[in-house]
């Protein structure tokens, strides 16, 4: 019988490279959900989170207007992310056009 992935991961050290990678992936997925909740499904074609490195979430944007909207909402988005994943999981955004 196969073990559930959640059961396997629950036994891992939260500071291990594996768990940091899993956490970063969850943060990116959550950020992408926040974008859709805030601006609707159309934004999914215009912007998306790529990865987290050194507490910086890198975001790809297809237009300057979308990048500006995200930048204007950066504090509230960071607050939502850090509320869900813990204090200072992400401290800033890096937006790539």
């Amino acid at each position: 019988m196969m073990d559930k992935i959640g059961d396997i991961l629950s036994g891992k050290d939260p500071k291990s490279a594996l768990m940091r990678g899993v956490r970063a992936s969850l943060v990116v997925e959550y950020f992408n959900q926040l974008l859709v909740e805030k601006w609707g499904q159309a934004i999914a074609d215009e912007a998306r989170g790529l990865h987290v490195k050194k507490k910086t979430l890198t975001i790809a944007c297809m237009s300057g207007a979308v990048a500006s909207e995200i930048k204007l909402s950066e504090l509230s988005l960071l607050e939502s992310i850090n509320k869900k994943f813990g204090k200072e999981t992400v401290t800033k955004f890096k937006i790539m056009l």
Side-chain angles (χ1 to χ4, degrees), residues 65-79:
V66 170
S68 294
E69 285 294 324
I70 292 171
K71 193 66 177 166
L72 288 171
S73 298
E74 183 172 7
L75 290 178
S76 66
L77 292 167
L78 286 171
E79 185 178 292

Side-chain angles (χ1 to χ4, degrees), residues 12-81:
K12 297 290 182 188
D13 177 12
K15 293 180 182 177
S16 71
L18 171 66
M19 291 307 293
R20 286 193 315 266
V22 169
R23 184 182 184 97
S25 295
L26 292 172
V27 168
V28 169
E29 182 179 339
Y30 182 67
F31 172 78
N32 291 332
Q33 290 173 357
L34 287 175
L35 288 180
V36 172
E37 287 173 16
K38 189 165 180 77
W39 289 289
Q41 187 61 41
I43 199 163
D45 294 334
E46 297 292 322
R48 84 173 108 140
L50 298 177
H51 58 82
V52 177
K53 186 174 183 179
K54 297 182 181 178
K55 298 185 180 184
T56 301
L57 174 60
T58 302
I59 303 161
C61 290
M62 299 299 288
S63 74
V66 170
S68 294
E69 285 294 324
I70 292 171
K71 193 66 177 166
L72 288 171
S73 298
E74 183 172 7
L75 290 178
S76 66
L77 292 167
L78 286 171
E79 185 178 292
S80 295
I81 291 167

